[in-house]
Amino acid sequence: MQYDIGMVGLGVMGRNLLLNLADHGFRVIGLDTDPGKVQALKTEGNRDTVDATLDAKAFLTAQRLPRAIILLVPAGKAVDAVINKLAPNLSQGDLLIDAGNSHFKDTDRRYNELAAKGLNFFGMGVSGGEAGARGGPAMMPGGPRAAYDRVKPMLDAIAAKVNGDPCVDYIGSGSAGHYVKMVHNGIEYGIMQLLAEVYDILHRGAGLTNPELADLFQSWHDGELNSFLVEITAKIFRKLDPKTGKHLVDVILDVARQKGTGKWTSQEAMDLQVPLMTIDAAVSSRDISAYDVERMQASKVYAGIGTNWSGDRAALQTIARNATYAAVLLIYAQGFAMLRKASTTYSFGLDLGTIAKIWRGGCIIRSTMLETFRTAFAEQPDLPNLLLSSKIAPDLARCHTGLRSLIASAITLGIPCAALMNSLAYFDAYRSARLPMNLTQAQRDLFGAHTYERIDEKGTFHTKWEE
Ligand code: 6PG
């Protein structure tokens, strides 16, 4: 038996992606160090097309050449350990595909190390969680183009489809695939934080019940906010806790954990000097949630700050929808603008329209808005920022007042809304023809002779500000 593709790591993602491949007629073999996982796959998979082993040599000899091997092991040292184990027994032209959430700088290093040995390496972002892996994920493969063409039929077959188009395409050279997945996750953090803040304002602030919130979010999902994250949020508000009979969301501890991809996005944006204000706020908001003991103390010190809700609940719901729509648009705009800058900086050769096309389905940030972005980039491939697109601007012009009003309510209620505020700050800064950094420049020149430029003359200038 010559298997078409191998999978290293038979955890939730690896097993489901492998079974997805088998569903589409590919012969697949899995490798894991856990006998339980190997046996589970042998039992679950069709014996004619699926096999699994604990033995790395048997795994490699069972595959046809040149091999294509997907790695789905935890990001970090485990990826290097698997590569070091397999590489000595691989053949020229074989392709390793790291489908975990690896840092793009690790991917660059591995890409170069393996290229020196005549081996191909892809960093491939995979999004959609367990259900996506089994039923159709979005995939973002980056690396050597010729190797991509070899696995394209397999990736096209297993990807989610939107209007018949697979949610996968060649992303670009080097670590482009993992880079784009990192930004995907940054956007994911941003949207999740926004939804959490809107929930807080409506629930803690205005007293909407969980069933009311479920209906509201479902109605948003049925309209222009159609998206996976809004849809699952509606479902979450309906779920009851079998232990207590209460709504499950009410008994979940309010501390957000993180594996770090959102933080990487913010760190990288700082390095690139790209403003990513909402995603920065989302990461910090998860961070402050972890200070739960101090928050509890401070809530007693500052008790009574903030008013009680006394407005029109129906009007607030309309405001909240418009605010959410505007803020989500602004998050995508920041993410795509970051990709634009990264593409130039790292020579990735990204096509933002292709990325929007991939993100329309299968992934966590999928939404119908992505189709609008795809057409915006198709019409204007060099569009620097979605906010400058005639397809987006009218929507923001319509909805930004909702964002302002919702933030105003949150401020008077004393409810934190850093992501909403930073989305608006990004919008207001981006659309300001003149920002107050003339003053910053003057200060820098006064205390450090850092010089400044003038609006009426070319060159750099220094002034002796104090006699
Ligand atoms: C996806 C998700 C996936 C993972 C998140 C969770 O696209 O399917 O992004 O990769 O669930 O990275 O991230 P945190 O644990 O950092 O919230």
Side-chain angles (χ1 to χ4, degrees), residues 13 101 126-129 181 184-185 188-189 192 257-262 286 363-364:
M13 290 298 285
N101 276 330
V126 178
S127 181
K181 177 61 173 32
H184 165 285
N185 281 27
E188 174 185 304
Y189 273 51
M192 289 170 72
R257 311 293 177 193
Q258 50 189 313
K259 295 194 202 75
T261 44
R286 287 199 191 191
C363 65
I364 303 297

PDB file of all heavy atoms in Angstrom, residues 13 101 126-129 181 184-185 188-189 192 257-262 286 363-364, ligand 1:
ATOM      1  N   MET A  13      -7.165  17.562  16.225  1.00  0.00           N
ATOM      2  CA  MET A  13      -7.066  18.185  14.898  1.00  0.00           C
ATOM      3  C   MET A  13      -6.490  17.208  13.870  1.00  0.00           C
ATOM      4  O   MET A  13      -7.002  17.075  12.761  1.00  0.00           O
ATOM      5  CB  MET A  13      -6.205  19.450  14.962  1.00  0.00           C
ATOM      6  CG  MET A  13      -6.846  20.600  15.700  1.00  0.00           C
ATOM      7  SD  MET A  13      -8.380  21.177  14.943  1.00  0.00           S
ATOM      8  CE  MET A  13      -7.765  22.063  13.514  1.00  0.00           C
ATOM      9  N   ASN A 101      -0.281  26.047  15.032  1.00  0.00           N
ATOM     10  CA  ASN A 101      -0.180  27.505  15.153  1.00  0.00           C
ATOM     11  C   ASN A 101       1.243  27.901  15.520  1.00  0.00           C
ATOM     12  O   ASN A 101       1.500  28.438  16.596  1.00  0.00           O
ATOM     13  CB  ASN A 101      -1.160  28.016  16.222  1.00  0.00           C
ATOM     14  CG  ASN A 101      -2.559  28.224  15.669  1.00  0.00           C
ATOM     15  OD1 ASN A 101      -2.734  28.528  14.490  1.00  0.00           O
ATOM     16  ND2 ASN A 101      -3.549  28.053  16.514  1.00  0.00           N
ATOM     17  N   VAL A 126      -4.364  26.453   9.819  1.00  0.00           N
ATOM     18  CA  VAL A 126      -5.621  25.714   9.653  1.00  0.00           C
ATOM     19  C   VAL A 126      -6.600  26.277  10.665  1.00  0.00           C
ATOM     20  O   VAL A 126      -6.286  26.350  11.853  1.00  0.00           O
ATOM     21  CB  VAL A 126      -5.435  24.203   9.910  1.00  0.00           C
ATOM     22  CG1 VAL A 126      -6.770  23.466   9.791  1.00  0.00           C
ATOM     23  CG2 VAL A 126      -4.429  23.613   8.927  1.00  0.00           C
ATOM     24  N   SER A 127      -7.747  26.681  10.213  1.00  0.00           N
ATOM     25  CA  SER A 127      -8.735  27.251  11.132  1.00  0.00           C
ATOM     26  C   SER A 127     -10.062  26.539  11.018  1.00  0.00           C
ATOM     27  O   SER A 127     -10.441  26.071   9.947  1.00  0.00           O
ATOM     28  CB  SER A 127      -8.928  28.739  10.851  1.00  0.00           C
ATOM     29  OG  SER A 127      -9.871  29.264  11.762  1.00  0.00           O
ATOM     30  N   GLY A 128     -10.760  26.493  12.146  1.00  0.00           N
ATOM     31  CA  GLY A 128     -12.100  25.930  12.147  1.00  0.00           C
ATOM     32  C   GLY A 128     -12.324  24.933  13.271  1.00  0.00           C
ATOM     33  O   GLY A 128     -13.411  24.378  13.397  1.00  0.00           O
ATOM     34  N   GLY A 129     -11.268  24.702  14.069  1.00  0.00           N
ATOM     35  CA  GLY A 129     -11.419  23.811  15.211  1.00  0.00           C
ATOM     36  C   GLY A 129     -11.707  22.385  14.769  1.00  0.00           C
ATOM     37  O   GLY A 129     -11.501  22.009  13.610  1.00  0.00           O
ATOM     38  N   LYS A 181      -2.236  33.237   9.269  1.00  0.00           N
ATOM     39  CA  LYS A 181      -3.038  32.600  10.330  1.00  0.00           C
ATOM     40  C   LYS A 181      -2.895  33.364  11.647  1.00  0.00           C
ATOM     41  O   LYS A 181      -3.853  33.507  12.408  1.00  0.00           O
ATOM     42  CB  LYS A 181      -2.626  31.134  10.506  1.00  0.00           C
ATOM     43  CG  LYS A 181      -3.354  30.410  11.650  1.00  0.00           C
ATOM     44  CD  LYS A 181      -4.861  30.382  11.428  1.00  0.00           C
ATOM     45  CE  LYS A 181      -5.707  29.583  12.380  1.00  0.00           C
ATOM     46  NZ  LYS A 181      -5.405  29.397  13.741  1.00  0.00           N
ATOM     47  N   HIS A 184      -5.139  36.219  11.380  1.00  0.00           N
ATOM     48  CA  HIS A 184      -6.505  35.680  11.528  1.00  0.00           C
ATOM     49  C   HIS A 184      -6.848  35.583  13.014  1.00  0.00           C
ATOM     50  O   HIS A 184      -7.923  35.994  13.460  1.00  0.00           O
ATOM     51  CB  HIS A 184      -6.588  34.301  10.862  1.00  0.00           C
ATOM     52  CG  HIS A 184      -7.802  33.499  11.243  1.00  0.00           C
ATOM     53  ND1 HIS A 184      -7.938  32.862  12.469  1.00  0.00           N
ATOM     54  CD2 HIS A 184      -8.953  33.244  10.569  1.00  0.00           C
ATOM     55  CE1 HIS A 184      -9.105  32.260  12.533  1.00  0.00           C
ATOM     56  NE2 HIS A 184      -9.746  32.468  11.387  1.00  0.00           N
ATOM     57  N   ASN A 185      -5.920  35.032  13.790  1.00  0.00           N
ATOM     58  CA  ASN A 185      -6.201  34.857  15.217  1.00  0.00           C
ATOM     59  C   ASN A 185      -6.265  36.194  15.946  1.00  0.00           C
ATOM     60  O   ASN A 185      -7.047  36.352  16.887  1.00  0.00           O
ATOM     61  CB  ASN A 185      -5.145  33.950  15.845  1.00  0.00           C
ATOM     62  CG  ASN A 185      -5.409  32.480  15.547  1.00  0.00           C
ATOM     63  OD1 ASN A 185      -6.015  32.161  14.529  1.00  0.00           O
ATOM     64  ND2 ASN A 185      -4.967  31.601  16.407  1.00  0.00           N
ATOM     65  N   GLU A 188      -9.594  37.371  15.332  1.00  0.00           N
ATOM     66  CA  GLU A 188     -10.477  36.530  16.179  1.00  0.00           C
ATOM     67  C   GLU A 188     -10.528  37.099  17.617  1.00  0.00           C
ATOM     68  O   GLU A 188     -11.604  37.263  18.186  1.00  0.00           O
ATOM     69  CB  GLU A 188      -9.907  35.109  16.160  1.00  0.00           C
ATOM     70  CG  GLU A 188     -10.567  34.099  17.063  1.00  0.00           C
ATOM     71  CD  GLU A 188      -9.802  32.748  17.026  1.00  0.00           C
ATOM     72  OE1 GLU A 188      -9.628  32.195  15.923  1.00  0.00           O
ATOM     73  OE2 GLU A 188      -9.376  32.270  18.093  1.00  0.00           O
ATOM     74  N   TYR A 189      -9.368  37.427  18.172  1.00  0.00           N
ATOM     75  CA  TYR A 189      -9.331  38.009  19.521  1.00  0.00           C
ATOM     76  C   TYR A 189     -10.128  39.316  19.544  1.00  0.00           C
ATOM     77  O   TYR A 189     -10.861  39.592  20.495  1.00  0.00           O
ATOM     78  CB  TYR A 189      -7.891  38.326  19.932  1.00  0.00           C
ATOM     79  CG  TYR A 189      -7.087  37.224  20.584  1.00  0.00           C
ATOM     80  CD1 TYR A 189      -6.979  35.971  20.016  1.00  0.00           C
ATOM     81  CD2 TYR A 189      -6.383  37.469  21.761  1.00  0.00           C
ATOM     82  CE1 TYR A 189      -6.198  34.977  20.605  1.00  0.00           C
ATOM     83  CE2 TYR A 189      -5.607  36.483  22.354  1.00  0.00           C
ATOM     84  CZ  TYR A 189      -5.512  35.243  21.776  1.00  0.00           C
ATOM     85  OH  TYR A 189      -4.738  34.273  22.360  1.00  0.00           O
ATOM     86  N   MET A 192     -13.931  38.704  19.257  1.00  0.00           N
ATOM     87  CA  MET A 192     -14.440  38.079  20.492  1.00  0.00           C
ATOM     88  C   MET A 192     -14.519  39.095  21.633  1.00  0.00           C
ATOM     89  O   MET A 192     -15.480  39.109  22.406  1.00  0.00           O
ATOM     90  CB  MET A 192     -13.542  36.899  20.890  1.00  0.00           C
ATOM     91  CG  MET A 192     -13.683  35.716  19.956  1.00  0.00           C
ATOM     92  SD  MET A 192     -12.437  34.460  20.246  1.00  0.00           S
ATOM     93  CE  MET A 192     -12.986  33.755  21.786  1.00  0.00           C
ATOM     94  N   ARG A 257      -8.329  32.737  29.069  1.00  0.00           N
ATOM     95  CA  ARG A 257      -6.997  32.150  28.839  1.00  0.00           C
ATOM     96  C   ARG A 257      -6.572  32.436  27.411  1.00  0.00           C
ATOM     97  O   ARG A 257      -7.371  32.849  26.581  1.00  0.00           O
ATOM     98  CB  ARG A 257      -7.029  30.646  29.089  1.00  0.00           C
ATOM     99  CG  ARG A 257      -7.673  30.231  30.409  1.00  0.00           C
ATOM    100  CD  ARG A 257      -6.875  30.671  31.609  1.00  0.00           C
ATOM    101  NE  ARG A 257      -7.552  30.319  32.861  1.00  0.00           N
ATOM    102  CZ  ARG A 257      -7.206  30.790  34.043  1.00  0.00           C
ATOM    103  NH1 ARG A 257      -6.219  31.662  34.166  1.00  0.00           N
ATOM    104  NH2 ARG A 257      -7.852  30.430  35.125  1.00  0.00           N
ATOM    105  N   GLN A 258      -5.332  32.158  27.110  1.00  0.00           N
ATOM    106  CA  GLN A 258      -4.848  32.405  25.748  1.00  0.00           C
ATOM    107  C   GLN A 258      -3.594  31.579  25.481  1.00  0.00           C
ATOM    108  O   GLN A 258      -2.794  31.366  26.383  1.00  0.00           O
ATOM    109  CB  GLN A 258      -4.542  33.876  25.533  1.00  0.00           C
ATOM    110  CG  GLN A 258      -3.673  34.508  26.610  1.00  0.00           C
ATOM    111  CD  GLN A 258      -3.567  36.010  26.469  1.00  0.00           C
ATOM    112  OE1 GLN A 258      -3.333  36.513  25.393  1.00  0.00           O
ATOM    113  NE2 GLN A 258      -3.729  36.718  27.584  1.00  0.00           N
ATOM    114  N   LYS A 259      -3.480  31.172  24.201  1.00  0.00           N
ATOM    115  CA  LYS A 259      -2.273  30.425  23.833  1.00  0.00           C
ATOM    116  C   LYS A 259      -1.235  31.349  23.215  1.00  0.00           C
ATOM    117  O   LYS A 259      -0.120  30.922  22.967  1.00  0.00           O
ATOM    118  CB  LYS A 259      -2.630  29.291  22.884  1.00  0.00           C
ATOM    119  CG  LYS A 259      -3.510  28.240  23.540  1.00  0.00           C
ATOM    120  CD  LYS A 259      -3.578  26.976  22.716  1.00  0.00           C
ATOM    121  CE  LYS A 259      -4.813  26.173  23.067  1.00  0.00           C
ATOM    122  NZ  LYS A 259      -6.051  26.766  22.489  1.00  0.00           N
ATOM    123  N   GLY A 260      -1.603  32.569  22.920  1.00  0.00           N
ATOM    124  CA  GLY A 260      -0.576  33.545  22.562  1.00  0.00           C
ATOM    125  C   GLY A 260      -0.587  34.085  21.142  1.00  0.00           C
ATOM    126  O   GLY A 260       0.161  35.008  20.845  1.00  0.00           O
ATOM    127  N   THR A 261      -1.436  33.558  20.267  1.00  0.00           N
ATOM    128  CA  THR A 261      -1.385  34.038  18.877  1.00  0.00           C
ATOM    129  C   THR A 261      -1.865  35.488  18.748  1.00  0.00           C
ATOM    130  O   THR A 261      -1.381  36.221  17.888  1.00  0.00           O
ATOM    131  CB  THR A 261      -2.207  33.124  17.949  1.00  0.00           C
ATOM    132  OG1 THR A 261      -3.450  32.833  18.592  1.00  0.00           O
ATOM    133  CG2 THR A 261      -1.485  31.819  17.679  1.00  0.00           C
ATOM    134  N   GLY A 262      -2.821  35.894  19.619  1.00  0.00           N
ATOM    135  CA  GLY A 262      -3.264  37.288  19.591  1.00  0.00           C
ATOM    136  C   GLY A 262      -2.149  38.209  20.049  1.00  0.00           C
ATOM    137  O   GLY A 262      -1.895  39.263  19.457  1.00  0.00           O
ATOM    138  N   ARG A 286      -7.907  40.516  27.901  1.00  0.00           N
ATOM    139  CA  ARG A 286      -7.755  39.139  28.432  1.00  0.00           C
ATOM    140  C   ARG A 286      -6.783  39.167  29.613  1.00  0.00           C
ATOM    141  O   ARG A 286      -6.993  38.485  30.623  1.00  0.00           O
ATOM    142  CB  ARG A 286      -7.216  38.191  27.355  1.00  0.00           C
ATOM    143  CG  ARG A 286      -8.243  37.842  26.303  1.00  0.00           C
ATOM    144  CD  ARG A 286      -7.843  36.574  25.551  1.00  0.00           C
ATOM    145  NE  ARG A 286      -8.698  36.388  24.392  1.00  0.00           N
ATOM    146  CZ  ARG A 286      -8.741  35.275  23.669  1.00  0.00           C
ATOM    147  NH1 ARG A 286      -7.976  34.236  23.970  1.00  0.00           N
ATOM    148  NH2 ARG A 286      -9.541  35.175  22.623  1.00  0.00           N
ATOM    149  N   CYS A 363     -13.308  29.061   8.610  1.00  0.00           N
ATOM    150  CA  CYS A 363     -12.478  29.562   9.719  1.00  0.00           C
ATOM    151  C   CYS A 363     -13.333  30.237  10.801  1.00  0.00           C
ATOM    152  O   CYS A 363     -14.518  30.492  10.615  1.00  0.00           O
ATOM    153  CB  CYS A 363     -11.416  30.525   9.194  1.00  0.00           C
ATOM    154  SG  CYS A 363     -12.066  32.028   8.491  1.00  0.00           S
ATOM    155  N   ILE A 364     -12.689  30.549  11.913  1.00  0.00           N
ATOM    156  CA  ILE A 364     -13.399  31.134  13.059  1.00  0.00           C
ATOM    157  C   ILE A 364     -13.898  32.548  12.736  1.00  0.00           C
ATOM    158  O   ILE A 364     -14.930  32.969  13.250  1.00  0.00           O
ATOM    159  CB  ILE A 364     -12.468  31.170  14.296  1.00  0.00           C
ATOM    160  CG1 ILE A 364     -11.944  29.758  14.629  1.00  0.00           C
ATOM    161  CG2 ILE A 364     -13.159  31.785  15.507  1.00  0.00           C
ATOM    162  CD1 ILE A 364     -12.976  28.732  15.013  1.00  0.00           C
TER     163      ILE A 364
HETATM  164  C1  6PG B   1      -8.845  28.560  14.758  1.00  0.00           C
HETATM  165  C2  6PG B   1      -8.500  29.016  16.136  1.00  0.00           C
HETATM  166  C3  6PG B   1      -7.574  28.043  16.793  1.00  0.00           C
HETATM  167  C4  6PG B   1      -7.505  28.163  18.303  1.00  0.00           C
HETATM  168  C5  6PG B   1      -7.223  29.533  18.809  1.00  0.00           C
HETATM  169  C6  6PG B   1      -7.471  29.658  20.290  1.00  0.00           C
HETATM  170  O1  6PG B   1      -8.583  29.347  13.857  1.00  0.00           O
HETATM  171  O2  6PG B   1      -9.370  27.461  14.602  1.00  0.00           O
HETATM  172  O3  6PG B   1      -7.876  30.250  16.077  1.00  0.00           O
HETATM  173  O4  6PG B   1      -6.347  28.157  16.155  1.00  0.00           O
HETATM  174  O5  6PG B   1      -8.708  27.728  18.836  1.00  0.00           O
HETATM  175  O6  6PG B   1      -5.892  29.779  18.517  1.00  0.00           O
HETATM  176  O7  6PG B   1      -6.613  30.620  20.738  1.00  0.00           O
HETATM  177  P1  6PG B   1      -6.474  31.064  22.236  1.00  0.00           P
HETATM  178  O8  6PG B   1      -6.326  29.807  23.060  1.00  0.00           O
HETATM  179  O9  6PG B   1      -5.251  31.897  22.247  1.00  0.00           O
HETATM  180  O10 6PG B   1      -7.730  31.804  22.552  1.00  0.00           O
END
